[in-house]
Amino acid sequence: MDAIDSRLETLADRRLDALAEARALPSALRDALRPLATASDFAIETLVRRPALVDARHAMVPPPALDPADPEGAMAALRRWRAAASTVLVARDVDGLDAVDATLAGSTRIAEHALHLGLAQAEAELAPRFGRVRDAEGREQRLVVFALGKLGGGELNFSSDVDLVYAYARGGASDGPRVLDAEPYFVRVGQRLAQLLGDVTADGFSHRVDLRLRPFGDSGRLALSFDAMEAYFQRDGRDWERYAWLKARPVAGDLAAGDRMVEALRPFVYRRYLDFTALDALREMKAMIEAEVARRDMADDLKRGPGGIREVEFLVQALQLIRGGREPALRRRGLLPALSALAAAGHLPEATAQRLAEAYRFLRRVENRVQMLRDAQTYALPDDPLDRLRIARGLAYADAAGLEAALQAHRDVVSAEFAAVLGGPRRGGPEPAVEPLAAYWAALPDAGEPAVLAAAGFADAGAADEALRRLAGSALRRGLSPRAAAWFDRIVPLLLAQAAASTAPDASLMRGIALLTAIGRRSSYFALLAEQPAALERLAQVCAGSALLAERLTEHPLLLDELLDVRAAGPLPDAQAVVRDRAVGLVASDDAEAALLALNERRHSLAFRIGLAWRAGRLDAIGATRALAAVAEGVVGVALGLAEREVARAHGRIAGGGFAVLGYGSIGAEELGFASDLDLVFVHGADPQAVSDGPRPLDAGRYYLRVAQKFVALLDTATPAGKLYDVDARLRPAGAKGLLVVGAAGFAQYQHERAWTWEHQALVRMRPLAGEPSLLAALGALREAVLARPRDPATLAREVADMRERMRRELDRSDEGHLDLKQGRGGLVDLEFLLQHAVLREAGRVPALLSPRHSDDLLAALGDAGLWPIDTVRALRDAHARLVEASLACTLDRRPRRARRGDPQLEAACAAVASAWSTLGPGA
């Protein structure tokens, strides 16, 4: 046995001998306690003072009852209880009963109990002299104790201080013999609470209290009203305080009021927009810590040293602050739940999150063991070789070297991930391709040579130079803060270089300048682009390739998130499911305006991502139109829920029947474009004599009219995130002259008895979208019955051809040089009419034609049924895909849906449709 091993055995024996003097230790019990004696002097000393605890060392110790009349006794009881409860934590950890997560949660619970007990004791001690504080209405007010840091996150280490902030909901005065205003009263309560927990007595201490995180720090008032706190954070709140309050929660006093205050401060912590300013603030905090580490030679510090606990916390909190304003699922106080949420949302690779979680747990376990040794607030492995060996053996390592190697491996993981996420943009000079552009920009607005732009690849260098000079001399540029100006001056040359390398340099630059001008009031967007070169590259590509997407970015800068989001380059999510997943929360929200804004943000975000995927070739044109339709269907479902809720609040509900939204045209066929409106028809299934049961009852017709009107208004309402969709309801029975909402019986009668052939054509693409399931099913069955009824082939062909010719005369914008992709001969509408004619003619004897709505699906069904030759079907499917692709390209480029004649692929597509029209369709 080595000398140090011998010393370790001797030390453990001495500790156990001391315990044996306090109570009998049979050999089996002595052996069972040896790991505890090796790991913790604090635990053995507690057991010596309380020998009865030996047999209950794995059982939680209930909190004591404190006597307000015995302040000294209360302090003693609190300290003895904390020592006993903490010893149980040590024993459970050392004996392998608890994982580190449970130990951290146990330390948190002990602190929470101590704060509850201490606050009640402080209040009771003050009550005889000062009474209780009451507001102007006579309601009792209590201090609110907010926990920040690791206590706030529910992950307190074994021997940590507790970061607290005191506040109170309302002003007032105490009602006792000596009257105090609210603030001095609560200051006294808070001071006494800190003494009860933190003063060192013969029994030690309960918890060290740190109040320096309050507004204005040590120079600030000890207790503030909620109004004063809100005013402080609105006016003087600093970036580091956002990190501190990210974990904040009330832990003692008026918890309900505290929850309200935390919610009120949420916009300070989590910004609505993507917030990369958090990174610069984080780097400043990290630099200060690194300077302290270097100055005090703390490189081995488990908390603050390289690859330590603080780096994991900084990394996770930075990602939370950047995205948490838009993604509530990321607003977790605890680090491990937040890490899991970031991985689940796709902001960290699952493997990275797993490695960080393993490293964090390891670091926290070592930290706990270091502190459990003597209940000391220390964060480094001890220098003493024997103490270091004690820590190593307690963690199942043969020697200290094994522990140190494992520790370094985990720290290396943390350092690498921290550098990858938070290392920041390259701080050296610009890349060679950017250097001349950076020099040119730096010389503006007074100097600079336009020839630099021409050399970079801009066709109209003069126009580009003029636009850039205006930007450099603009009020926007002059009004930026120094930090925002630095970001801005880093961005512009990079944007110039990316635009020059794009497929349309001039268009990309002009659209990029428009975007920079639009986002100038939000410096966080400059931080995003400066911090993320990949986002700048994608921005230039988007501006070069799509006027519509660039316009959407300019109007709604929140969409910049999609340029950066690592998920944007992966598979598209189930768009309808993504919208639907928010439905319950949105519909349940009492804030209709906020719900509508969130729905708009989600709709535009998904549509923008679909546009990016199509431009990048990760999604074909047919897939894009299906995905856009899925987004719209999800939105319709959520908006209908909101509309029904609003109407029900005013007028109650109608029993039976229900409401249905029917999709026609492109939404019904799942062929929606990027700028399409929604062709919708509204039907209700209630008895016309039914009346709603609310305080302001309405008959069924007027009730469901209100639902429809509210629904349309929601889709059409302008919000800061845009509006949802334009609605076209002219396909309802009797068109614009008919009722906006029709009863199910009247709808069925109209379709059977009065509808024109073109209205039955429209039924081919009709699809029930949202509403009462039984009503939707009945309307779907009605559609099939109408489509399947017998028709005279000659009459059908004539009526379909006549309607198509009439539309072509009125709407076709083709000319000698251009083809109208939608209304021109051989265009998309010709193909739609061709398919509708086939369904109306054949569905009675071929039921397989009744289910499909999408043109591609209908073509496949016609081929499978043997009604059309396979070669023709294949040619028409190719033609459809090509026409849709060209049409989408026109929409994204903000051009009319026309193409120059002479494109061989488009000419072939139109020829295929025209040929089928003359051989298989109404023209046969």
Side-chain angles (χ1 to χ4, degrees), residues 385-584:
L386 180 60
D387 284 347
R388 190 169 285 219
L389 179 62
R390 293 176 71 183
I391 302 296
R393 288 286 173 82
L395 292 169
Y397 289 93
D399 53 30
L403 170 61
E404 291 162 10
L407 180 59
Q408 190 59 49
H410 285 296
R411 296 181 78 147
D412 288 344
V413 167
V414 174
S415 291
E417 298 299 343
F418 181 84
V421 174
L422 301 176
R426 193 167 64 87
R427 298 294 183 180
E431 297 178 5
V434 183
E435 285 180 358
L437 295 169
Y440 161 79
W441 171 253
L444 297 181
D446 300 321
E449 291 296 328
V452 173
L453 300 177
F458 292 97
D460 192 346
D465 177 72
E466 183 181 350
L468 288 163
R469 288 183 190 279
R470 283 199 304 270
L471 182 64
S474 65
L476 163 66
R477 173 62 182 82
R478 294 194 306 271
L480 294 175
S481 68
R483 184 164 66 167
W487 286 326
F488 190 79
D489 290 339
R490 191 185 309 154
I491 290 167
V492 174
L494 291 171
L495 181 62
L496 276 167
Q498 294 290 357
S502 72
T503 56
D506 295 78
S508 179
L509 175 60
M510 294 304 182
R511 293 165 184 167
I513 289 174
L515 174 64
L516 292 181
T517 303
I519 66 176
R521 288 174 297 174
R522 292 289 193 189
S523 61
S524 61
Y525 293 132
F526 293 150
L528 182 160
L529 295 172
E531 293 282 352
Q532 300 293 326
L536 254 182
E537 181 179 357
R538 294 192 189 109
L539 171 62
Q541 293 168 352
V542 168
C543 289
S546 173
L548 177 65
L549 295 182
E551 182 181 298
R552 295 279 167 83
L553 276 173
T554 301
E555 293 173 348
H556 311 298
L558 284 172
L559 294 173
L560 284 168
D561 189 9
E562 301 302 327
L563 296 178
L564 165 66
D565 199 326
V566 295
R567 299 167 296 182
L572 277 173
D574 179 341
Q576 186 177 339
V578 170
V579 176
R580 190 173 57 243
D581 287 345
R582 294 291 306 277
V584 174

Side-chain angles (χ1 to χ4, degrees), residues 817-868:
H818 298 86
L819 170 69
D820 188 323
L821 296 170
K822 182 177 181 180
Q823 296 290 349
R825 197 170 299 279
L828 286 167
V829 176
D830 273 4
L831 180 58
E832 292 169 10
F833 270 56
L834 181 65
L835 294 170
Q836 292 161 6
H837 171 262
V839 171
L840 293 177
R841 186 179 63 187
E842 306 290 355
R845 62 186 187 86
V846 184
L849 299 180
L850 293 171
S851 296
R853 274 83 163 178
H854 194 284
S855 298
D856 195 63
D857 297 339
L858 280 169
L859 285 165
L862 286 163
D864 291 343
L867 296 173
W868 287 3

Side-chain angles (χ1 to χ4, degrees), residues 77-95:
L78 198 57
R79 281 150 179 73
R80 292 168 188 164
W81 169 75
R82 182 262 170 184
S86 296
T87 296
V88 169
L89 287 184
V90 179
R92 291 182 64 84
D93 179 25
V94 169
D95 293 341

Side-chain angles (χ1 to χ4, degrees), residues 93 112 134 215 223 251 339 358 379 418 486 502 574 653 678 705 728 778 808:
D93 179 25
E112 290 171 344
R134 299 188 181 278
V251 290
L339 194 56
E358 290 173 1
Y379 297 98
F418 181 84
S502 72
D574 179 341
R653 296 187 182 277
L678 304 185
L705 176 61
D728 188 340
R808 186 178 288 114

Side-chain angles (χ1 to χ4, degrees), residues 879-892:
H880 176 247
R882 178 60 186 146
L883 289 166
V884 171
E885 182 179 14
S887 180
L888 286 183
C890 289
T891 301
L892 288 183

